Amino acid sequence: QVQLVESGGGLVQPGGSLRLSCAASGRTTNNYAMGWFRQVLGKEREFVAAIRRNGGSTHYADSVKGRFTISRDTAKNTVYLQMNSLNSEDTAVYYCTYGPGVILSSIRQQSAYSHWGQGTQVTVSS
């Protein structure tokens, strides 16, 4: 099993920044992808960003491209999501996810991931 522990959510004003962290522990592999999805109550969970452990390729939803940056620390099995220029549409519960052997064509799909964090609330409001 793999455990994911998220941190870094909270309340921020429009235009502000937050950084989310997600640490994976347990039976991780050497070939995985980790990423972030978000969900607003009553709506579908949507892809935000993902990164592959090997090679470090990054992938973003169009809505966050240029504002969010995903990065990784392979030694710590930790991924970070730096979120800048936040606006009210970014308000959601953010879920960290882990998937062994995720292929590029599936990296934006929920079904590609096997483990999920508990979620952390991000609220953008003045």
Side-chain angles (χ1 to χ4, degrees):
Q1 276 289 0
V2 174
Q3 294 77 43
L4 302 175
V5 178
E6 304 155 338
S7 61
L11 173 65
V12 63
Q13 292 186 341
S17 299
L18 278 177
R19 189 175 85 150
L20 305 182
S21 300
C22 177
S25 62
R27 304 180 73 173
T28 59
T29 69
N30 288 326
N31 177 25
Y32 61 76
M34 290 182 69
W36 296 90
F37 286 71
R38 66 187 182 186
Q39 188 170 23
V40 176
L41 190 62
K43 294 188 177 181
E44 294 286 321
R45 190 172 296 188
E46 65 174 6
F47 172 77
V48 176
I51 187 167
R52 301 181 82 186
R53 182 191 185 277
N54 296 336
S57 64
T58 56
H59 309 268
Y60 298 95
D62 288 344
S63 59
V64 307
K65 201 172 295 184
R67 300 188 299 121
F68 290 12
T69 302
I70 190 169
S71 60
R72 79 206 192 290
D73 183 332
T74 56
K76 297 180 180 179
N77 281 336
T78 299
V79 294
Y80 306 94
L81 186 68
Q82 178 66 42
M83 305 185 292
N84 299 329
S85 302
L86 287 161
N87 59 60
S88 59
E89 294 184 350
D90 297 315
T91 295
V93 177
Y94 284 70
Y95 295 93
C96 175
T97 188
Y98 166 96
V102 176
I103 60 175
L104 283 178
S105 60
S106 302
I107 203 162
R108 297 167 185 263
Q109 300 174 14
Q110 293 185 58
S111 59
Y113 299 89
S114 56
H115 293 79
W116 295 82
Q118 77 282 2
T120 185
Q121 177 70 46
V122 171
T123 302
V124 184
S125 175
S126 55

